[in-house]
């Protein structure tokens, strides 16, 4: 059998007469090299993994004294706020921290014992006092405030505006006070609407009702404030049941006031009266 040159190149006898296979020898050499590379690479990774033992000012470890997070999983949004609040030491609390913000430190390095310097403040007593005072004010206003229907309220606004629309706040409160005093007095109706629209012997008790001005006026903010104060218990009236503007009144009306009533005081354009025997409310 004829042998080729290729066979001659790769098959030869060694000194003992054995035939050596150069292809097999090369394969074994390459395998050894590959294993060497893998071993070196794995060792590098193992060496590099040692750096993972480093911790930061915020690592994911949790201990009995602090809670920290890694820089690649820091909480955001509401979770961040909550974690920040939870990590804040309370007054008098002792904590252990590793490093400071943004420091890359090894476990055991720069470990310090920090005692919070926050001033302890007990606000429970203060808040309790505040709430109690507020409740007392609400109860006080509720007990002094006068309750009335929407119709009564609207009529009260109209008569105060019509009678005292040019007066100051006190002058408007006084007119509202007279209406409220009449509601409590036995001689008069027991609600604002009927008091305001009352006629005695065919005569209206208030001139704006007689001449129709009560339906023409528009209550201002000042009048609304005055009525509000009167309903909340503000009373300057000294029990007055009547008032008169003598500069605009008929002579016989003025004479009746002076003859039958007791004058209390004057405020603005109005003079205020009550029955001589009436007990001051």
């Amino acid at each position: 059998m004829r042998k080729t040159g290729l066979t001659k190149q790769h098959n030869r006898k060694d000194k003992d007469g054995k035939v050596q296979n150069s292809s097999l020898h090369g394969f074994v050499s390459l395998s050894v090299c590959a294993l060497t590379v893998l071993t070196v690479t794995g060792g590098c990774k193992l060496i590099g993994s040692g750096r993972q033992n480093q911790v930061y000012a915020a690592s994911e470890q949790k201990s009995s004294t602090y809670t920290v997070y890694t820089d690649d999983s820091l909480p955001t949004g509401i979770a961040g706020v909550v974690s920040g609040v939870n990590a804040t030491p309370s007054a008098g609390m002792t904590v252990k921290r590793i490093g400071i913000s943004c420091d890359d430190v090894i476990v055991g390095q720069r470990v310090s014992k920090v005692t919070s310097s926050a001033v302890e403040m007990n606000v429970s007593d203060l808040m309790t006092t505040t709430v109690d005072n507020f409740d007392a004010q609400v109860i006080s206003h509720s007990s002094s405030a006068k309750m009335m229907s929407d119709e009564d309220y609207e009529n009260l606004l109209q008569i105060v505006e019509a009678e005292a629309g040019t007066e100051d706040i006190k002058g408007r409160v006084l007119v509202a006070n007279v209406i409220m005093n009449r509601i409590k007095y036995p001689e008069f109706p027991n609600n604002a609407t009927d008091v305001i629209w009352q006629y005695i012997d065919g005569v209206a008790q208030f001139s704006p009702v007689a001449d129709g001005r009560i339906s023409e006026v528009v209550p201002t903010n000042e009048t609304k404030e005055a009525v509000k104060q009167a309903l909340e218990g503000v009373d300057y009236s000294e029990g007055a049941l009547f008032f008169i503007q003598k500069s605009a009144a008929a002579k016989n009306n003025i004479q009746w006031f002076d003859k039958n009533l007791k004058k209390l005081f004057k405020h603005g354009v109005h003079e205020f009266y009550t029955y001589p025997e009436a007990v001051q409310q």
Side-chain angles (χ1 to χ4, degrees), residues 167-175 177 226 236 265 267 272:
E167 298 293 283
D168 59 13
I169 290 291
K170 183 177 180 180
R172 301 181 200 212
V173 171
L174 277 166
V175 171
N177 289 157
Y236 306 113
F265 59 88
H267 181 85
F272 293 85

Side-chain angles (χ1 to χ4, degrees), residues 27-80:
F27 174 76
V28 173
S29 298
L30 289 175
S31 298
V32 172
C33 291
L35 289 174
T36 303
V37 171
L38 291 175
T39 301
V40 172
T41 303
C44 290
K45 289 184 177 179
L46 290 174
I47 294 172
S49 65
R51 294 185 57 81
Q52 299 303 317
N53 290 329
Q54 291 180 334
V55 296
Y56 297 84
S59 80
E60 279 189 340
Q61 300 183 69
K62 291 185 179 180
S63 72
S64 60
T65 54
Y66 63 90
T67 302
V68 288
Y69 300 86
T70 56
D71 55 353
D72 59 349
S73 63
L74 292 176
T76 59
I78 295 177

Side-chain angles (χ1 to χ4, degrees), residues 187-218:
E187 183 179 318
F188 302 100
N190 61 1
N191 64 83
T193 297
D194 289 344
V195 165
I196 294 165
W197 290 90
Q198 184 182 24
Y199 281 75
I200 297 178
D201 296 330
V203 179
Q205 293 297 288
F206 298 93
S207 59
V209 172
D211 60 24
R213 286 184 295 117
I214 189 172
S215 301
E216 298 173 355
V217 297
V218 177

